[in-house]
Amino acid sequence: MVAGAVLEPGRLLLAQRRYPPEVAGKWELPGGKAEPGESPEAALRRELAEEIGVSVTVGAALRESVALRDDLMMIALRARIEAGVPHPAEHEALQWVDAAQLRAMLDAGRLVPADTVWVPELLADLGP
Ligand code: C5P
């Protein structure tokens, strides 16, 4: 699994999940599963095109990774929009957040639990 930290100066794109019930309504870094033989970078570009309707340049990975299951790791890659305006094709909604908003969403339990490991790194990227 590869998730995208879509960043612009001072803000990060979050996507609100529709399913499964335990995380429906919570916010995540959008992304998905790599197909056989597909690199994480290519998988993220494809998933963000499908889910958000943007083409991105993929940058450095976040340091943390998450074990979703024994056999399924999730990494996050930074990404920058090259073309397109984000649109929620598969999510309930999209939202740009700054550092204060991200921290408030973490504190309020509004993020998908697995994605909370990335918040410290994302806050550092976003600045004050
Ligand atoms: O997006 P998709 O349905 O393929 O995600 C599969 C699983 O990965 C879900 O159970 C979801 O909770 C988890 N996931 C996550 N954080 C993300 C993306 C997916 O925890 N950013």
Side-chain angles (χ1 to χ4, degrees):
M1 285 283 302
V2 56
V6 178
L7 288 156
E8 287 187 350
R11 62 183 198 161
L12 167 75
L13 188 67
L14 293 179
Q16 188 175 31
R17 288 197 67 97
R18 288 192 155 142
Y19 66 91
E22 54 273 24
V23 290
K26 294 195 188 291
W27 295 80
E28 70 174 4
L29 302 187
K33 203 167 192 298
E35 289 167 357
E38 190 178 39
S39 69
E41 292 78 9
L44 182 62
R45 283 197 299 272
R46 177 181 52 73
E47 289 284 353
L48 292 181
E50 289 171 4
E51 294 186 355
I52 310 293
V54 295
S55 78
V56 299
T57 299
V58 176
L62 298 182
R63 251 176 296 109
E64 295 288 342
S65 56
V66 186
L68 288 177
R69 300 192 312 251
D70 282 354
D71 60 342
L72 187 60
M73 292 298 294
M74 181 171 61
I75 64 166
L77 303 176
R78 294 180 179 85
R80 196 162 287 274
I81 295 174
E82 288 300 323
V85 175
H87 170 85
E90 297 177 12
H91 288 86
E92 186 62 28
L94 302 177
Q95 182 186 4
W96 289 101
V97 296
D98 64 16
Q101 290 169 317
L102 181 61
R103 203 177 291 112
M105 289 177 76
L106 174 69
D107 291 346
R110 299 184 66 209
L111 301 178
V112 169
D115 293 33
T116 59
V117 298
W118 294 315
V119 170
E121 286 175 83
L122 294 167
L123 289 173
D125 280 4
L126 290 169

